[in-house]
Amino acid sequence: MKREPMLAQIRERQQPPQQPWDLIVIGGGATGAGVAVDAATRGFSVLLLEREDFGKGTSSRSTKLVHGGVRYLEQGNVSLVMEALKERGLLRQNAPHLVHNVPFVVPNYVWWEAPFYGIGLKLYDLLAGKYGFGKSQILSREQTLERMPALRQDGLRGGVIYHDGQFDDSRLLINLIQTAVDHGACALNYAPVVELHKDQDGFIDGVVALDRESCERFDLRARVVVNATGMFTDEIRRMADAKVETMIAPSQGIHLVLDGSFLLGRTAVMVPHTSDGRVLFAIPWHGHTVVGTTDTPIDAPSYEPLPFEQEIEFVLETAREYLSHPPTRADVLSVYVGIRPLVKAGGADGGKTSSLSRDHTVHIDQSGLLTIVGGKWTTYRHMAEDTVNHAITLGQLDQRPCVTHDLPIHGFLEGVEPDGDLWVYGADAEKIRVLAHQSSELAQQLHPDLPYIAAEVVWAARVEMARTVEDVLARRTRALFLDAHAAIAMAPEVARLLAAELGNDETWAANQVAKFNRLAAQYTLLGVAEASQSQPKKD
Ligand SMILES: Cc1cc2nc3c(=O)[nH]c(=O)nc-3n(C[C@H](O)[C@H](O)[C@H](O)COP(=O)(O)OP(=O)(O)OC[C@H]3O[C@@H](n4cnc5c(N)ncnc54)[C@H](O)[C@@H]3O)c2cc1C
């Protein structure tokens, strides 16, 4: 996956007489990547354009769960849970190197909790059917502590254990883009769509896009243009019609990342009812503990939203209630924030977003712009199938069946345990090991607290289209999300390696480091405090 050949393909199609793409997909998050995979594997020509880096939006900032959503069961949305549980099973089948079964303990401190959650989680098992990850079980106090010794013992009566899936979101995203490209798609990062093109009847028939690196402008034609821009959905819809009504009610969620010792193992904790009626998870991830999340309505989308002080306190407070080793602000290694592109239900006015629909929506504007929005990471495949089915009708494309149900995702490798070195790369890990054996420099670990080696930077630049220090430290590796200070310390060496690979000079490298350090400061609590005085709109 290299940038130059992608640009060459785009230029070639632009030559007169212009040959339209079957689909142009705007947005390189989970949704757009899923559509590109679906369309390419049905044999359609597809171009995916991403304004920033692949996954820079919400898709690298999730709770990292491949799940049915126990919470939606509580809300009575059985069909959503059933669909997500099926997709959870398919994703584990098709990307076994990345999706792993994690046991979750729901601790009970009140007598009625065990039978109540026990029954709910049995239903969760039943709805999964043949796609089940393991049976739930009510545990005694002793069994609960055996499974989760890190729980606060005072007042603990017992627990319920159930199973769900876990993954690395930006790694899966890169693997999906690679899958699409493996099947003939063209995908370009740092390529914003700046205008939509209409035919003489006012119907969308293409886009104008830029290559941000060279400022080259492309005027491209497509039979169908798919808007898969998540929280930016309305911005693209307004390019087609400035007067369209807003569809999206953005809501942000934060996660705090702590040392792995806060959970002591590979079992996660799920708190089904926090003080304000939300669900909170504490999950082991890449040797660390991820705690979250929140659901706070915000006014407008942005790439690097800041956590609100009350969100940080809420997550820490709730974690302290359940963990024997109560975390403090000093324990927070990184804080990251993502924005949910929730679809407004009818007259929803952006009030309490936790009750807005988590289902996906396929919407066709009068201009013929096909928008896919909402849903969740777990259901990206089903969303893509639905979208391409609509695209076939809209663009009068050949009727070709979806083939992603059993499609192996790039990196497919069975029997990968989520530990050891380079496991997230699946089948590609061996190639990175070969690279690392070529020189002692490439085998070098980049920071003593994180497992990443120099060969991963070179690999990211050569075959994963990483263009900046941030791409490498935030999304090709997860250093920034795991430990912001360690990521800052790694930045100069990453910049040096990247500059050598991309043919850039020392000034470029120095600018990259400075830019990354400014960003990474916002992933530390000190940096957040300095950058933010703002308060949430409402809650
Ligand atoms: C806090 C939080 C936790 C979550 N946890 C989970 C979870 O554990 N499991 C789960 O299944 N789901 C989870 N989700 C939901 C899931 O992360 C999202 O549904 C999914 O990532 C949305 O993907 P997307 O592709 O629609 O949006 P995005 O990832 O935001 O992608 C949209 C892309 O469009 C690009 N774009 C915008 N404008 C343009 C333009 N003009 N030209 C080109 N590109 C453009 C953006 O740069 C962006 O990369 C969570 C969400 C949040 C917020």
Side-chain angles (χ1 to χ4, degrees):
M1 200 165 84
K2 295 178 196 297
R3 212 161 179 279
E4 254 327 302
M6 302 292 179
L7 285 164
Q9 271 190 66
I10 295 171
R11 285 187 201 113
E12 199 185 308
R13 282 236 175 206
Q14 209 188 201
Q15 295 298 323
Q18 265 217 2
Q19 212 194 328
W21 298 85
D22 290 326
L23 290 94
I24 289 182
V25 181
I26 313 173
T31 307
V35 173
V37 170
D38 188 297
T41 52
R42 294 198 208 201
F44 295 123
S45 60
V46 50
L47 169 65
L48 179 145
L49 297 164
E50 164 54 49
R51 174 157 64 185
E52 300 283 325
D53 182 31
F54 304 123
K56 168 77 178 177
T58 307
S59 297
S60 57
R61 299 154 190 270
S62 75
T63 312
K64 326 299 180 197
L65 295 180
V66 180
H67 63 157
V70 175
R71 181 158 72 103
Y72 313 129
L73 203 55
E74 221 184 323
Q75 293 169 357
N77 198 340
V78 173
S79 61
L80 175 68
V81 176
M82 254 177 105
E83 179 203 308
L85 286 170
K86 177 183 167 198
E87 291 300 322
R88 179 187 73 164
L90 292 179
L91 196 47
R92 182 173 64 164
Q93 168 198 292
N94 297 333
H97 60 298
L98 275 183
V99 179
H100 293 102
N101 184 339
V102 173
F104 284 74
V105 163
V106 184
N108 305 148
Y109 291 90
V110 183
W111 69 267
W112 54 265
E113 286 178 326
F116 182 75
Y117 295 122
I119 290 168
L121 290 164
K122 274 276 166 281
L123 178 60
Y124 197 64
D125 293 349
L126 282 174
L127 291 175
K130 66 176 180 171
Y131 298 104
F133 271 39
K135 284 195 168 23
S136 62
Q137 197 192 336
I138 294 182
L139 304 176
S140 66
R141 176 187 154 87
E142 289 66 36
Q143 288 168 322
T144 305
L145 285 171
E146 209 174 288
R147 297 304 299 249
M148 180 39 75
L151 280 176
R152 177 173 67 83
Q153 298 192 16
D154 180 26
L156 182 73
R157 302 177 76 101
V160 184
I161 194 160
Y162 75 100
H163 297 260
D164 239 327
Q166 190 191 32
F167 75 136
D168 181 322
D169 47 14
S170 68
R171 180 51 40 197
L172 179 60
L173 182 67
I174 298 299
N175 282 171
L176 284 176
I177 302 275
Q178 289 169 315
T179 309
V181 171
D182 291 345
H183 287 87
C186 182
L188 196 66
N189 51 2
Y190 297 104
V193 167
V194 291
E195 280 173 42
L196 297 178
H197 193 277
K198 289 184 181 167
D199 66 14
Q200 55 217 24
D201 300 322
F203 226 66
I204 305 277
D205 69 347
V207 306
V208 176
L210 302 178
D211 171 12
R212 264 180 40 192
E213 295 192 353
S214 65
C215 295
E216 190 174 348
R217 188 181 161 95
F218 300 109
D219 195 350
L220 306 162
R221 293 292 168 272
R223 296 198 167 85
V224 181
V225 174
V226 177
N227 174 14
T229 53
M231 58 182 155
F232 300 104
T233 292
D234 290 323
E235 187 182 312
I236 301 294
R237 291 178 62 235
R238 273 186 218 112
M239 286 183 189
D241 176 357
K243 294 197 216 77
V244 288
E245 272 196 33
T246 308
M247 271 177 85
I248 301 298
S251 150
Q252 80 174 32
I254 77 152
H255 293 86
L256 302 181
V257 181
L258 312 170
D259 188 74
S261 58
F262 283 90
L263 280 184
L264 300 171
R266 293 245 306 258
T267 302
V269 178
M270 195 270 254
V271 177
H273 232 79
T274 57
S275 57
D276 61 352
R278 295 169 183 158
V279 169
L280 195 97
F281 295 99
I283 302 167
W285 189 64
H286 289 311
H288 291 68
T289 302
V290 175
V291 193
T293 183
T294 52
D295 204 331
T296 312
I298 52 169
D299 291 328
S302 66
Y303 281 104
E304 294 293 346
L306 288 172
F308 297 112
E309 180 53 37
Q310 66 203 59
E311 291 183 296
I312 297 168
E313 267 316 306
F314 165 77
V315 173
L316 280 175
E317 266 303 313
T318 312
R320 277 183 209 126
E321 277 176 41
Y322 291 89
L323 298 179
S324 60
H325 176 17
T328 67
R329 297 177 80 91
D331 296 311
V332 177
L333 299 174
S334 182
V335 51
Y336 66 88
V337 188
I339 297 180
R340 288 178 195 83
L342 297 178
V343 179
K344 286 183 178 182
D349 62 359
K352 194 157 174 72
T353 48
S354 54
S355 61
L356 291 188
S357 171
R358 259 66 174 171
D359 280 317
H360 73 263
T361 299
V362 176
H363 177 88
I364 301 175
D365 279 300
Q366 277 182 357
S367 61
L369 178 68
L370 176 56
T371 290
I372 166 72
V373 67
K376 24 199 243 154
W377 235 121
T378 307
T379 56
Y380 85 91
R381 192 208 65 82
H382 177 68
M383 292 164 65
E385 179 176 353
D386 200 5
T387 307
V388 177
N389 287 343
H390 278 82
I392 287 174
T393 308
L394 184 67
Q396 296 176 350
L397 305 176
D398 292 345
Q399 283 289 346
R400 296 179 194 155
C402 171
V403 297
T404 55
H405 196 278
D406 301 311
L407 181 83
I409 290 168
H410 186 103
F412 178 98
L413 190 67
E414 281 177 306
V416 176
E417 285 300 315
D419 46 28
D421 65 331
L422 304 175
W423 65 266
V424 284
Y425 296 94
D428 281 342
E430 206 39 50
K431 296 176 201 151
I432 302 172
R433 282 191 200 104
V434 170
L435 200 58
H437 283 132
Q438 284 171 8
S439 78
S440 55
E441 189 199 10
L442 292 185
Q444 284 283 325
Q445 194 171 339
L446 296 169
H447 192 280
D449 294 345
L450 294 173
Y452 305 117
I453 58 172
E456 292 176 76
V457 182
V458 171
W459 176 261
R462 281 189 196 165
V463 299
E464 293 182 345
M465 279 167 78
R467 309 298 295 175
T468 70
V469 167
E470 183 198 329
D471 297 350
V472 171
L473 288 172
R475 291 171 294 275
R476 302 309 182 282
T477 72
R478 307 315 306 271
L480 178 62
F481 286 71
L482 294 172
D483 186 334
H485 284 294
I488 289 170
M490 290 159 74
E493 182 57 6
V494 170
R496 195 186 64 76
L497 289 160
L498 210 50
E501 277 302 313
L502 301 176
N504 293 323
D505 60 15
E506 282 177 14
T507 312
W508 179 88
N511 286 338
Q512 279 288 306
V513 173
K515 195 170 172 204
F516 179 75
N517 288 352
R518 278 197 299 277
L519 171 77
Q522 291 187 21
Y523 286 66
T524 68
L525 289 193
L526 197 61
V528 169
E530 280 168 11
S532 163
Q533 300 300 323
S534 46
Q535 288 298 307
K537 188 178 75 166
K538 55 182 118 145
D539 199 352

